Amino acid sequence: MDNPFVRKLEQHVRLAPEDRAVLDGLARQHIRHVAARQDIEGQHGDAHHTHLILDGWACRYKQFPDGRRAIVALLLPGDMCDPFVFRRARMDHAIGALTPVTVARITPEQMSDAVRGRPVIEECLWRETLSTVAIHREWIASVGRRSAIERLAHLFCELHLRLARVGLADGTTLPMPVTQPDLADALGQTSVHINRTLKELRTSGLVTLRSRRLAIRDLGALMERGLFDPAYLQLT
């Protein structure tokens, strides 16, 4: 199995073959397939392990009593669904599949065994935690202060770089399997507003979106439009 988790962590440090083998082993146990629009973890469930996304797209979201949904993170291949849930705890959010996904369940014991005596792996996981927290900050900044077109441009730039580092972007073309309602829930807007913003980006010659593929026509200009600084992604 090709492991996007290993590919992503190798962006941080050089992994020895034995380190790769340990990380690859985490992705080969307790494999689970989840259908699109189904929960991986429920909002009020008891969780004492995390899931690693091997294939497909998922999200971390909050569901309100009136049915409204706020997507607070998009989870891509190589991402841990919730790196902070390693002790039994009640979920205050849900993790849902946006597309069909394949996940590996990781227990606290398995993670402890992986890092024991392997400081390189522990460093990689800390860097991933820092990156996850930094992404949360950028999303808060987008919803709080960026304009509608800045939010969408920023998100497209982020998704491009996150997918590229695990080998899932073809140059500046990347999969975009999420719907406009998904984007609206992630950016704090309505679907109508997302449609108008997409049209503006297309008209500006910055992107095209067709058959669930996003082509970025001018990455530099899109970064400028979204006030995007990639430093928060900890890519080096």
Side-chain angles (χ1 to χ4, degrees):
M1 179 185 294
D2 191 21
N3 190 338
F5 187 49
V6 175
R7 291 202 303 269
K8 186 168 72 166
L9 294 187
E10 284 185 315
Q11 304 298 313
H12 297 313
V13 298
R14 180 176 296 176
L15 295 171
E18 55 269 25
D19 294 325
R20 292 193 197 95
V22 168
L23 291 169
D24 192 55
L26 292 175
R28 293 181 180 273
Q29 303 182 50
H30 304 109
I31 301 297
R32 178 183 170 198
H33 301 284
V34 182
R37 307 297 160 179
Q38 298 297 311
D39 279 349
I40 300 169
E41 290 283 0
Q43 182 161 312
H44 301 298
D46 290 328
H48 57 279
H49 53 260
T50 190
H51 288 87
L52 170 64
I53 304 291
L54 299 176
D55 187 51
W57 288 36
C59 69
R60 189 177 297 118
Y61 72 94
K62 299 278 288 188
Q63 190 83 47
F64 295 100
D66 62 3
R68 288 176 298 162
R69 179 186 63 165
I71 292 177
V72 297
L74 289 175
L75 302 166
L76 310 177
D79 287 344
M80 297 178 71
C81 287
D82 201 328
F84 312 110
V85 179
F86 279 120
R87 293 293 181 268
R88 189 173 182 85
R90 188 172 178 81
M91 294 285 289
D92 63 0
H93 63 279
I95 298 169
L98 295 173
T99 70
V101 299
T102 302
V103 297
R105 192 185 70 182
I106 303 173
T107 67
E109 294 76 21
Q110 289 172 318
M111 188 58 70
S112 295
D113 289 343
V115 302
R116 186 176 296 116
R118 298 186 182 279
V120 170
I121 292 180
E122 187 172 10
E123 180 184 350
C124 286
L125 295 175
W126 272 114
R127 286 175 179 262
E128 275 304 296
T129 299
L130 292 174
S131 178
T132 298
V133 174
I135 290 172
H136 282 316
R137 286 195 294 268
E138 285 296 322
W139 278 46
I140 291 169
S142 282
V143 173
R145 281 294 180 263
R146 287 188 178 99
S147 68
I149 197 166
E150 288 169 351
R151 293 182 204 183
L152 191 57
H154 191 281
L155 180 61
F156 284 165
C157 291
E158 177 187 296
L159 292 174
H160 165 253
L161 291 180
R162 288 172 62 191
L163 289 166
R165 69 177 175 176
V166 293
L168 294 177
D170 181 12
T172 53
T173 299
L174 54 145
M176 188 57 57
V178 295
T179 65
Q180 290 189 17
D182 293 331
L183 291 173
D185 287 347
L187 298 178
Q189 299 174 332
T190 65
S191 297
V192 171
H193 206 162
I194 290 293
N195 186 275
R196 291 172 180 167
T197 307
L198 273 171
K199 183 177 180 180
E200 185 174 350
L201 287 176
R202 289 193 194 99
T203 302
S204 300
L206 297 179
V207 304
T208 58
L209 181 59
R210 185 179 298 111
S211 301
R212 297 194 170 190
R213 300 284 296 178
L214 176 73
I216 300 175
R217 297 304 181 188
D218 189 333
L219 181 58
L222 189 67
M223 287 182 169
E224 184 176 352
R225 198 75 171 92
L227 308 177
F228 184 81
D229 179 353
Y232 72 98
L233 291 174
Q234 304 283 328
L235 294 177
T236 58

